[in-house]
Amino acid sequence: MAGVDVAGEFETIRRLFAPLAHPEWGRGLRDDVAVIPSKPGHDLVLTKDAIVEGVHFLPADPLDTVARKLMRVNLSDLAAKGAEPFGYLLACHWSERCGWPERMTFVDGLRADQKAFGVALLGGDTVVTPGPASFSMTLMGWTPKGRTVARMGARVGDLVFVTGNIGDGWLGLQAAQEKLTLEADRIAALLEHYRTPTPRVEFIGPIRAYASASIDISDGLIADLEHMAAASGVGIEIDLEVTPRSAAGQAWYDGRVDEQAALESLVTGGDDYEVAFSASPRDEATLRREAGRRHLRLTRIGRVTTGEGVVARFAGQPVTIDRSGFAHG
Amino acid sequence: MAGVDVAGEFETIRRLFAPLAHPEWGRGLRDDVAVIPSKPGHDLVLTKDAIVEGVHFLPADPLDTVARKLMRVNLSDLAAKGAEPFGYLLACHWSERCGWPERMTFVDGLRADQKAFGVALLGGDTVVTPGPASFSMTLMGWTPKGRTVARMGARVGDLVFVTGNIGDGWLGLQAAQEKLTLEADRIAALLEHYRTPTPRVEFIGPIRAYASASIDISDGLIADLEHMAAASGVGIEIDLEVTPRSAAGQAWYDGRVDEQAALESLVTGGDDYEVAFSASPRDEATLRREAGRRHLRLTRIGRVTTGEGVVARFAGQPVTIDRSGFAHG
């Protein structure tokens, strides 16, 4: 917005960001706007997430992984809705530690994930802040008209599934804060998940085709299922023991004395960026086949019931999960 | 992104932002995404600007005007492209000073400008930062297919026009920093412009119909005309004396000894959020009529020439304008 380029913002855009721009719709990042032609028969799906140094990422986190995490967190939102991502706008609020080498590192991360996920930069803004760095991304995708999968739509009798593993987001944060005692390769795997979670973009097709309701797991499995239950006007029952754990998660779990407390930590920790969704029992076999083809873990963790809220069972009995501090959405 | 609502983020969304949501496309801000149906025959135009406390606004600025400025800065980008705004996504990075009353004040500003400009909230994110507050907005509008006005397109022989007045952005900042000595009502007018500039949304129709190239003035008249000249592969000549001044701007100008230096300050200061555009001489009469109908000041400040860059004339002679610190786009 300002004409004085003391902080090198014009130069940052021209040299670092312009090479990432969508060849047509981004206008070389030289025209203040992106212009996207309408796609007949499709809806445009948009999401926007922001991350702040010291809150959502650690000051020591490498900036390439910060960029990739920002993109992946947004990709996860679109994946859960069955939307095919194509592009994004980005606001960088650089801190004083973000000199030229750090900005290049950030852009390296973007470039890698643009290639991995088939998206391109469409525009944005780059500013400096005297405080900690923060970034926000507006990510866009397409769904066939009227086919965006919502939180709303779970029906009594549907089954509840989750992709991948639950708890690695929370364990990864503990690892990054050096609070975990585990073998080095377990720690490395958890750090990898914490820094670059895997959005389930590969499963967009089956989610779109078969999910009656869907949400990505950012607030924690229980909290996000509660959002889905509330939006759908139903209850959800899950079995804590069957929630899937990674090898590292299992290793951590095996070292716990209180199994129930350990499971509760995993299902309330958040930042998993897996997809939880409901689907009709008649589609279970197809969903398992689709997941198998992709070598993607898919676990049936529960069912949709009458009533409201989420009931979690441990050893067959409903348990009360202490989640003080959570706001119920 | 986090499940713990210590900072009241869920509550902020539910109580403050949800009432601003687009009734259909915003999904009540409850579904992580906005879903916008395609508009056949139209292109979607997007812009994204970010503002930071202590950089783009002052810590003492009331937060309702901060919200309105953020929206207006983005509206100005769309207006210059001939795009009709309809909605926006918003990321709020609240600082510690942003308690509930301050957030309500911010939302008051949004509500007022949503009504004034016919836009609605589509989604976004709200997070806290240990540093100064910052905000970013992704604003969207429609143009008829292929009709977005670009920086590129100015033709030799076109005339160059500007809406409103030039220099009030810079003078307003001086006023906000208490660096100006002027009558109280002049100061008030400049502060008003600084805090809530007027994006030229009302002139979208004529810009779309007649502008060969167009840009909004954020970096300063000279710098933005240089962007337009470079993108169009032409030169631009302007006469400094005819650049339009507000009553307050004129009062300030009348008190200067060095007229040329004063004019140079006004045309390099930036933050005017007026539109500069080129158009064929045959459309001048129509443009003046369209401006007159809207009681909008429209001034012909120069012409498009062969060559490159911007030549500014004072008393008929080309002058060199000292803009050290400017990056040439």
Side-chain angles (χ1 to χ4, degrees):
Chain A
M1 290 172 26
V4 180
D5 197 36
V6 273
E9 303 311 320
F10 293 174
E11 200 65 5
T12 296
I13 293 169
R14 195 175 65 80
R15 288 180 53 190
L16 296 185
F17 286 117
L20 301 185
H22 187 287
E24 190 179 351
W25 305 344
R27 299 188 157 211
L29 308 187
R30 290 171 60 103
D31 208 11
D32 298 324
V33 295
V35 181
I36 302 175
S38 77
K39 186 166 177 174
H42 288 74
D43 292 333
L44 181 74
V45 182
L46 299 103
T47 186
K48 176 166 182 146
D49 268 328
I51 56 175
V52 178
E53 182 180 322
V55 181
H56 306 93
F57 63 94
L58 303 175
D61 288 340
L63 281 178
D64 54 341
T65 68
V66 171
R68 297 174 79 191
K69 183 162 187 175
L70 176 63
M71 184 175 287
R72 286 155 182 247
V73 163
N74 279 285
L75 284 165
S76 179
D77 277 324
L78 287 200
K81 305 294 141 186
E84 196 79 48
F86 66 84
Y88 65 100
L89 294 99
L90 179 69
C92 296
H93 308 212
W94 307 110
S95 69
E96 280 158 14
R97 79 146 161 144
C98 300
W100 197 257
E102 288 76 18
R103 295 180 187 202
M104 285 179 71
T105 301
F106 185 89
V107 167
D108 285 343
L110 287 178
R111 187 185 304 108
D113 271 5
Q114 286 201 182
K115 193 170 172 192
F117 296 104
V119 298
L121 180 60
L122 289 163
D125 201 5
T126 162
V127 297
V128 290
T129 168
S134 63
F135 305 92
S136 75
M137 179 178 284
T138 301
L139 183 75
M140 286 172 280
W142 303 113
T143 47
K145 187 173 172 56
R147 295 289 297 279
T148 307
V149 184
R151 292 182 179 189
M152 181 187 324
R155 291 162 301 215
V156 175
D158 280 353
L159 303 176
V160 176
F161 297 90
V162 69
T163 61
N165 301 304
I166 296 300
D168 280 12
W170 178 75
L171 287 170
L173 176 60
Q174 309 297 310
Q177 294 172 333
E178 302 184 357
K179 292 180 181 172
L180 284 192
T181 311
L182 278 178
E183 287 170 35
D185 59 335
R186 306 297 192 202
I187 294 287
L190 292 170
L191 279 176
E192 168 98 9
H193 181 280
Y194 165 74
R195 291 192 172 139
T196 51
T198 304
R200 295 306 177 186
V201 173
E202 60 191 326
F203 214 53
I204 284 174
I207 290 166
R208 192 188 279 170
Y210 303 110
S212 53
S214 175
I215 192 166
D216 83 312
I217 303 172
S218 53
D219 295 342
L221 177 63
I222 301 283
D224 287 313
L225 288 178
E226 283 186 344
H227 297 154
M228 201 166 95
S232 298
V234 297
I236 290 176
E237 279 188 12
I238 65 165
D239 297 304
L240 287 183
E241 290 99 328
V242 302
T243 54
R245 290 178 288 283
S246 67
Q250 186 63 43
W252 174 83
Y253 180 76
D254 289 340
R256 299 306 99 190
V257 177
D258 186 340
E259 284 181 27
Q260 184 184 332
L263 288 172
E264 289 176 9
S265 293
L266 298 178
V267 297
T268 58
D271 279 353
D272 290 315
Y273 305 110
E274 298 293 348
V275 180
F277 63 94
S278 57
S280 165
R282 72 170 177 273
D283 294 322
E284 181 172 10
T286 309
L287 282 162
R288 291 195 180 282
R289 195 164 56 241
E290 293 286 353
R293 282 178 47 203
R294 293 166 175 83
H295 307 288
L296 173 68
R297 188 174 194 174
L298 183 70
T299 308
R300 188 177 87 194
I301 57 169
R303 62 213 72 83
V304 178
T305 65
T306 54
E308 60 182 26
V310 173
V311 174
R313 294 181 186 275
F314 178 74
Q317 298 300 314
V319 296
T320 302
I321 295 187
D322 176 20
R323 292 171 298 108
S324 54
F326 276 80
H328 294 250
Chain B
M1 288 170 31
V4 179
D5 197 36
V6 275
E9 302 312 317
F10 292 174
E11 199 64 7
T12 296
I13 293 169
R14 195 175 65 80
R15 288 179 53 190
L16 296 186
F17 286 118
L20 301 185
H22 188 286
E24 190 179 351
W25 304 345
R27 299 188 158 210
L29 307 187
R30 290 170 60 103
D31 208 12
D32 299 324
V33 295
V35 181
I36 301 175
S38 77
K39 186 167 178 172
H42 287 75
D43 292 334
L44 181 74
V45 182
L46 299 102
T47 185
K48 176 165 181 147
D49 268 328
I51 56 175
V52 177
E53 181 180 323
V55 182
H56 306 93
F57 63 95
L58 303 175
D61 288 340
L63 281 178
D64 54 340
T65 67
V66 171
R68 298 174 78 190
K69 184 163 187 175
L70 175 63
M71 184 175 287
R72 286 156 182 246
V73 162
N74 279 286
L75 284 165
S76 179
D77 277 323
L78 287 199
K81 304 295 142 185
E84 195 79 48
F86 66 83
Y88 64 100
L89 293 99
L90 179 69
C92 296
H93 308 211
W94 306 111
S95 70
E96 281 159 13
R97 80 146 161 143
C98 300
W100 197 258
E102 288 75 18
R103 294 181 188 202
M104 286 179 71
T105 302
F106 186 88
V107 167
D108 285 344
L110 287 179
R111 188 185 304 108
D113 270 4
Q114 284 201 185
K115 192 169 173 191
F117 296 104
V119 298
L121 180 61
L122 289 162
D125 201 4
T126 161
V127 296
V128 289
T129 169
S134 63
F135 304 94
S136 75
M137 180 178 285
T138 302
L139 184 76
M140 286 173 279
W142 302 113
T143 47
K145 187 172 172 56
R147 294 289 296 280
T148 307
V149 184
R151 292 182 180 190
M152 181 188 324
R155 292 162 300 217
V156 175
D158 281 352
L159 304 175
V160 176
F161 298 89
V162 70
T163 62
N165 301 303
I166 296 301
D168 280 11
W170 178 75
L171 286 170
L173 176 60
Q174 309 297 308
Q177 295 173 332
E178 302 184 357
K179 292 181 182 171
L180 283 192
T181 311
L182 278 176
E183 288 170 36
D185 60 334
R186 307 296 193 203
I187 294 288
L190 292 170
L191 278 175
E192 167 98 9
H193 181 280
Y194 165 73
R195 292 191 172 139
T196 51
T198 303
R200 296 305 178 187
V201 174
E202 61 191 326
F203 214 54
I204 284 173
I207 290 167
R208 191 188 280 169
Y210 303 109
S212 53
S214 174
I215 193 166
D216 84 312
I217 303 171
S218 52
D219 295 343
L221 176 65
I222 300 283
D224 287 312
L225 288 178
E226 282 185 346
H227 297 153
M228 200 165 95
S232 298
V234 297
I236 290 176
E237 279 189 12
I238 66 164
D239 298 305
L240 287 182
E241 290 98 326
V242 302
T243 55
R245 290 178 288 283
S246 67
Q250 186 63 42
W252 174 84
Y253 179 77
D254 289 340
R256 301 304 100 191
V257 176
D258 185 341
E259 285 181 27
Q260 184 184 333
L263 287 172
E264 288 176 9
S265 293
L266 298 178
V267 298
T268 57
D271 279 353
D272 290 315
Y273 304 110
E274 299 293 348
V275 180
F277 63 94
S278 57
S280 164
R282 70 169 179 274
D283 294 323
E284 180 172 11
T286 309
L287 282 163
R288 291 196 179 282
R289 196 164 54 241
E290 294 285 352
R293 282 178 46 203
R294 293 166 174 83
H295 308 287
L296 173 68
R297 188 174 194 174
L298 183 70
T299 308
R300 189 179 86 194
I301 56 170
R303 63 214 70 83
V304 178
T305 64
T306 54
E308 60 180 27
V310 172
V311 174
R313 293 183 186 275
F314 178 75
Q317 299 301 314
V319 296
T320 302
I321 296 187
D322 175 20
R323 293 173 295 108
S324 53
F326 275 80
H328 295 251

